[in-house]
Amino acid sequence: MTTVGASTGSATQGTGSAAQDAGSATQDAGSATQGVEEHVARNYNPLPVNIARAEGAWVTDVEGKRYLDLLAAYSAVNFGHRHPALVAALTEQLGRVTLTSRAFMSDRLEPFAAALATLCGKDLVLPMNTGAEAVETGIKVARAWGYRVKGIAADRARIIVAAGNFHGRTTTIVSFSDDEQARDDFGPYTPGFDVVPYGDADAVAAAITDDTAAVLLEPIQGEGGVIIPPDGYLRRIREICDEKNVLFIADEIQSGLGRVGETFACDREGVVPDLYLLGKALGGGLLPVSAVVGDSDVLGVIRPGEHGSTFGGNPLAAAVGLRVVEMLESGEVQERARALGAHLATSLESLIGHGVTAVRIAGLWAGVDIDPALGTGREIAEKLLERGVLVKDTHGQTIRIAPPIVVRATELDWAVEQLRLVLER
Ligand SMILES: Cc1ncc(COP(=O)(O)O)c(C=O)c1O
């Protein structure tokens, strides 16, 4: 058994139980082996690591080898794998009631909605499950608001989106993606979207017509490679939307809930959108929980029977989501992401010119562009895997770094050292 990280000094501190777990991981896995997914549809191309256990910032594969997780399930695991407070909330709720459907009320939903609305400074929460469902919900709310409040003629409502966006995988959402892999062969496409360059507020202003119901943006484009728009962009979008009576919908599914060193990426510019789309970390890394959050003059347009989901807002989701919100209330998680991010920025920036061509970082979230002469992002990810570090590539040359926010500074140092060694070789 190889235990990666055993030679990393303080990087291993606090991960003792993960190392101890490793033995039983091998037993748990039975005949499982690395890299075999014969019966799994090929809609992903995973790195050859077969994870059996996880704790905090570390995962353990079926052979007992440990890896530092620098992806955190695309920021769904912001609080670390199996955070004890979240597991406790889930376990406690498992012993009470798990699923009621929204045909009835459950005693968990209102406390969750109230806490989340307060965190967002809004009145209402519409709970769903996956991120794509939150985006679809936001689109429906915007269209209904366009017809019922703004007075757009029937079936003419349009939504402005940004080039390079990633909002999920449903047929409507891929209709306004410009990523060929996400879109090709999945038509016919849903009409009603106008794509403008990301980061260019004037382009948004120019694209608005009387039929525009909303502008839908990621405040930082995650899948795009952690693309941070120019300073003042979000503020300007807010002003334009106010001037033109258009909703501003912020997709904070990946950027929100502590990742960027603030509760929301919009907070970096002191901007409040009309609708927040939330997901990923809202489920604490335990189960899918998403939500649309807004004020009643916007979100209140949805009437009984017009939208819903069997599992949306279920008692388990609400119990975990409430605990997630409580964990964000003190600001400690956000502060930790900010401090660790500043630390990570310094070490990553030292690699520029040494195999790295650019680094973009917001809080504890970095896009690192690899010099094409040294290999693709995927090749670098494979090399890092061999050294016990999990990252995910995107758009060819970029690797994304988004560790669980419980990671230690020394662990980050160790991971960046592994990247330096991979690039050197
Ligand atoms: C910004 C953003 N929106 C929406 C989604 C879709 O979320 P899900 O995969 O839970 O449907 C993602 C997923 O990566 C995302 O990053």
Side-chain angles (χ1 to χ4, degrees), residues 158-402:
R158 304 195 65 81
I159 295 177
I160 296 173
V161 297
N165 70 71
F166 185 88
H167 296 283
R169 300 289 195 173
T170 62
T171 46
T172 286
I173 293 172
V174 302
S175 295
F176 56 86
S177 168
D178 52 13
D179 175 349
E180 286 165 16
Q181 249 194 325
R183 186 184 152 91
D184 283 3
D185 293 335
F186 300 121
Y189 302 111
T190 307
F193 299 95
D194 298 305
V195 184
V196 300
Y198 187 63
D200 181 350
D202 291 340
V204 170
I208 291 179
T209 70
D210 290 347
D211 291 336
T212 306
V215 176
L216 164 63
L217 294 172
E218 295 158 89
I220 292 175
Q221 289 188 329
E223 294 298 304
V226 191
I227 308 296
I228 302 167
D231 246 8
Y233 175 64
L234 300 175
R235 262 197 312 277
R236 188 72 196 109
I237 296 291
R238 178 68 277 178
E239 286 166 6
I240 293 165
C241 288
D242 287 343
E243 278 162 26
K244 307 267 187 176
N245 193 26
V246 164
L247 300 178
F248 176 17
I249 307 177
D251 181 344
E252 294 259 16
I253 287 164
Q254 195 165 160
S255 59
L257 307 180
R259 172 56 57 193
V260 301
E262 305 280 352
T263 306
F264 302 110
C266 282
D267 295 343
R268 287 161 48 94
E269 293 198 20
V271 163
V272 179
D274 296 294
L275 293 176
Y276 286 102
L277 310 182
L278 304 175
K280 295 199 194 279
L282 194 56
L286 302 184
L287 68 184
V289 185
S290 70
V292 176
V293 187
D295 278 329
S296 38
D297 57 343
V298 178
L299 197 44
V301 297
I302 294 291
R303 301 180 287 229
E306 291 182 342
H307 190 61
S309 153
T310 302
F311 291 95
N314 70 74
L316 281 182
V320 171
L322 173 60
R323 190 61 57 88
V324 164
V325 173
E326 288 168 351
M327 286 169 68
L328 288 164
E329 279 166 352
S330 72
E332 274 170 57
V333 172
Q334 297 88 322
E335 172 53 36
R336 186 175 172 84
R338 213 176 308 144
L340 286 170
H343 183 88
L344 180 65
T346 311
S347 49
L348 283 177
E349 279 158 10
S350 75
L351 298 179
I352 295 177
H354 304 278
V356 166
T357 56
V359 173
R360 295 169 295 281
I361 185 157
L364 193 51
W365 197 18
V368 179
D369 293 346
I370 303 296
D371 183 347
L374 300 190
T376 62
R378 170 76 186 203
E379 285 162 352
I380 300 299
E382 284 168 1
K383 296 280 181 221
L384 282 170
L385 175 73
E386 286 167 16
R387 292 177 164 273
V389 178
L390 299 186
V391 297
K392 171 82 175 76
D393 59 297
T394 185
H395 290 272
Q397 287 313 125
T398 303
I399 55 174
R400 271 172 301 178
I401 299 184

Side-chain angles (χ1 to χ4, degrees), residues 134-160:
V135 176
E136 290 276 352
T137 305
I139 291 168
K140 285 177 72 174
V141 170
R143 287 178 171 181
W145 176 87
Y147 301 127
R148 295 171 188 172
V149 178
K150 182 168 173 171
I152 297 172
D155 291 340
R156 292 190 57 88
R158 304 195 65 81
I159 295 177
I160 296 173

